[in-house]
Amino acid sequence: SVAVPSWRHWDVRNEEDLVEDFVRSHGLNRVRLALPPLDYETAEPNESEIILSRVEPALRGNGFVEVITRGTYSADDAALIKEFNPRLAAGHITVKNALERNFSHMKISNILHLCRVAETNLRRGLPGVKIYEFGRLFSSKRGDGQAYDYERDTLTLAASGRWCEHEFRKPESLEEALALFKGALEAVFQSFGCEMEVRPGENPLLHPGAQAQVGTGRITCGFFGVVH
């Protein structure tokens, strides 16, 4: 039996803490360098992991690499989105006890985050950037107008600069870059056995005449184009 002195109650609370104290007293150099045998079961992949495992080969095959950005906006970013798309900004979830302005709004779109990642890499001398993120977006309103905290996993792609990094090739025109980007999206759809359909788009964050919605059958599930 062990009695923990009063001045150590904050530090010694369970069996692991007792083992740590004993080892430190006994001598770390007298502990065998061997891990105990592990007996564990691999958890079944969840729906998001299954989706990502199916689309990643298509993305990597087209030269895209994964990035992870923070899940919040600054107050200035939220104001910028509101300037371009007040309807989208109306769904922002505000963090009331945010530690600073950079973390005041939950991320409702990935466009600003991936644009900044692309800009940083181009400034550091990369001739071309192709990135993707499979992450969670947050909105206080659903598409059907019902108001409640709504989360959804979203795949976002971004490309800037050269599509092909070979210096001996001339840079692609805007039309060529859009066609190549569209081909990468078609590969993602094909990984699910679906044919991608392109429809007219009117997203305020993208340039008019250089954007489109994408979907399959009666479902519209995304958009692509040139960032405004």
Side-chain angles (χ1 to χ4, degrees):
S1 60
V2 177
V4 180
S6 59
W7 61 88
R8 293 294 306 281
H9 281 176
W10 66 273
D11 188 35
V12 182
R13 299 186 177 183
N14 52 37
E15 181 181 352
E16 288 76 12
D17 293 334
L18 292 175
V19 171
E20 179 187 359
D21 262 273
F22 174 79
V23 170
R24 191 163 53 239
S25 302
H26 192 61
L28 288 169
N29 59 331
R30 301 175 66 178
V31 178
R32 289 185 299 169
L33 298 178
L35 293 173
L38 298 177
D39 183 18
Y40 61 91
E41 296 181 0
T42 304
E44 291 292 327
N46 59 39
E47 184 179 0
S48 295
E49 291 170 336
I50 294 172
I51 292 173
L52 192 57
S53 68
R54 295 185 67 172
V55 302
E56 277 187 328
L59 295 171
R60 292 172 180 167
N62 280 281
F64 285 81
V65 296
E66 185 178 15
V67 297
I68 300 174
T69 60
R70 69 170 188 259
T72 56
Y73 277 134
S74 67
D76 293 336
D77 289 344
L80 181 62
I81 290 180
K82 185 176 182 179
E83 179 182 346
F84 279 93
N85 193 342
R87 185 176 179 181
L88 178 65
H92 264 138
I93 297 175
T94 305
V95 182
K96 291 184 178 180
N97 60 342
L99 296 177
E100 56 174 296
R101 287 170 56 87
N102 289 336
F103 307 99
S104 60
H105 294 73
M106 300 299 292
K107 181 164 60 175
I108 200 170
S109 170
N110 239 348
I111 291 181
L112 278 182
H113 287 66
L114 294 196
C115 281
R116 290 205 171 104
V117 172
E119 179 191 23
T120 300
N121 281 275
L122 290 171
R123 285 180 181 273
R124 293 177 179 175
L126 279 160
V129 177
K130 287 187 284 186
I131 52 179
Y132 73 92
E133 180 173 12
F134 186 71
R136 187 150 293 187
L137 301 181
F138 306 86
S139 174
S140 62
K141 296 182 179 180
R142 290 181 55 180
D144 55 12
Q146 296 183 17
Y148 77 111
D149 293 349
Y150 185 55
E151 305 177 16
R152 65 192 187 281
D153 290 324
T154 305
L155 175 65
T156 313
L157 284 68
S160 186
R162 290 175 175 266
W163 187 273
C164 299
E165 296 184 2
H166 305 294
E167 296 291 347
F168 62 84
R169 296 185 56 170
K170 66 176 182 179
E172 297 82 10
S173 66
L174 181 61
E175 291 75 14
E176 290 172 331
L178 279 171
L180 291 166
F181 197 92
K182 176 174 173 285
L185 293 178
E186 289 174 338
V188 171
F189 275 77
Q190 289 170 4
S191 66
F192 291 101
C194 301
E195 292 295 327
M196 186 180 82
E197 299 176 11
V198 179
R199 302 153 187 169
E202 297 180 354
N203 191 310
L205 299 179
L206 303 179
H207 267 296
Q211 62 168 293
Q213 291 184 338
V214 294
T216 182
R218 297 183 178 181
I219 301 172
T220 298
C221 55
F223 57 87
F224 77 102
V226 180
V227 175
H228 200 291

